[in-house]
Amino acid sequence: MHLDHTHDGPSAVSADARRPDGRRRALRIGLGGPVGSGKTATVAALCRALRDELSLAVVTNDIYTREDAEFLLREAVLPPERITAVETGACPHTAIRDDISANLEAVEDLEDETGPLDLILVESGGDNLTATFSRGLVDAQIFVIDVAGGDDIPRKGGPGVTTADLLVVNKTDLAPYVGSDLERMAADAEAQRAGLPVVFQSLRTGSGVTAVAGWVRERLAAWTA
Amino acid sequence: MSRAALLVLADGRFPAGGHAHSGGAEAAVRAGRITGAASLEDFCRGRLHTSGLVSAALAAAAALGADPVALDAAADARTPSPALRVAARRLGRQLVRAARATWPCTELDALARQFPKGAHQPVVLGVAARAAGLGPEDAAYCSVYECVSGPASATVRLLSLDPFDATAALARLAPELDVVAHAAADAARRALADGVETLPAASAPLLEIGAEAHAAWPVRLFAS
Ligand SMILES: Nc1nc2c(ncn2[C@@H]2O[C@H](COP(=O)(O)OP(=O)(O)OP(=O)(O)O)[C@@H](O)[C@H]2O)c(=O)[nH]1
Ligand SMILES: [Mg+2]
């Protein structure tokens, strides 16, 4: 995908870095991972951590409801016009990887209607370990797993665990209760990821989303550099 | 002109957003009108001869070079349900994006500029077929096939229907797809001379009503 090519047409086609008016578009970061691992909770925490310093918006991909969008609205992490839900037709990975058109439309509409934006977070519907975002939709992706889903997930690998730009192992507060071995998870993740970063976090205790927010700031600095 | 371009455009994996839409099948399943392969086939046959014919004729006319703005107005006039108009424009917008990336040309750029929120999908399909070097029959074939294949693949997911049974139903419909595609292309040629208001205007009230009900459901798998 030609990142620095501007179409003369009315709207960008896909990953073009510039909007039709010539301005740089928002950085798009995808959050994927299994059902219930903490994607929406991470999105909500990121919004709270970053909303005072950045102009941001969120796209959710719910499988058959608007639960995630409604949760974010209820929690009032952003004004309602900055949260859009995409319907995925029973196939969440198709909407973020094989046929990204509805999601592209959502991110472009958010920029048109609430922009200029610095950052758009795109949450995938909970899916399986092979679900990754197309590079035509997002510039970077975070894969969120949790310690309660089984401490063998990093060892099993799969495209999400091995190739995501950031792997987040969430709910570390639950590790003692579910018997997950965090050191083993860290060693397995390191072995699978060839140097790509891994963050262990709990949104219930300690420093919460701070490390992930720091990573997002670094990506944004690189994007706007 | 490349015959294979037709396969690219007709491929169910062509990334233009169709996977999230059931073509009315989700509403029909809930209403008990589709319960298995036989009723799926009946549903598709009904859709084919009504909104399928209308869509295919619009697509064929656009492929012949008829004015997209006039065709879009004709599509609106033939689509009473606001929910179906929204779905058709959303799919049109997604198709224009995919088509511009696939077959870049000034006609598609102009269409995207004229309809920033999307023209009716069959109109875009016809212009995309034209951009791909295809003719009115080809555009009509794409349209009628997608008219039946969309509900079939959605029903496989909704009812856990045996995918072989769904595909066999599509194959049984093939001779009728031929008839409707040719009728649509003929109607499109006549409309070039006589005006777009002469295009077919068949309608399926249950599809329109079902779409309105479906759009109001709080929980659903498909966007339409
Ligand atoms: N104990 C604990 N619970 C958490 C943590 N993060 C999220 N949760 C809880 O885990 C549950 C699922 O979190 P969500 O953020 O909805 O997960 P999700 O990945 O968005 O889920 P889907 O979108 O349904 O796939 C919720 O009840 C959260 O409150 C954490 O760090 N620790
Ligand atoms: Mg969620």
Side-chain angles (χ1 to χ4, degrees), chain A residues 38 42 168-173 199-203 208-210 212:
Chain A
T42 300
V168 173
V169 183
N170 192 33
K171 308 191 192 177
T172 52
D173 53 296
V199 165
F200 282 73
Q201 79 174 11
S202 164
L203 295 174
V209 84
T210 308
V212 176

Side-chain angles (χ1 to χ4, degrees), chain B residues 21 23-24 27 47 51 54 72 74-90 120 202-216 220 223-224:
Chain B
H21 295 257
R47 192 166 192 252
S51 65
V54 171
D72 188 74
D76 253 349
R78 286 160 177 72
T79 314
S81 153
L84 282 183
R85 291 185 186 186
V86 168
R89 290 188 182 283
R90 180 166 298 156
H120 276 263
S203 85
L206 269 181
L207 282 177
E208 306 279 337
I209 295 165
E212 286 302 306
H214 181 268
R220 55 180 183 239
S224 78

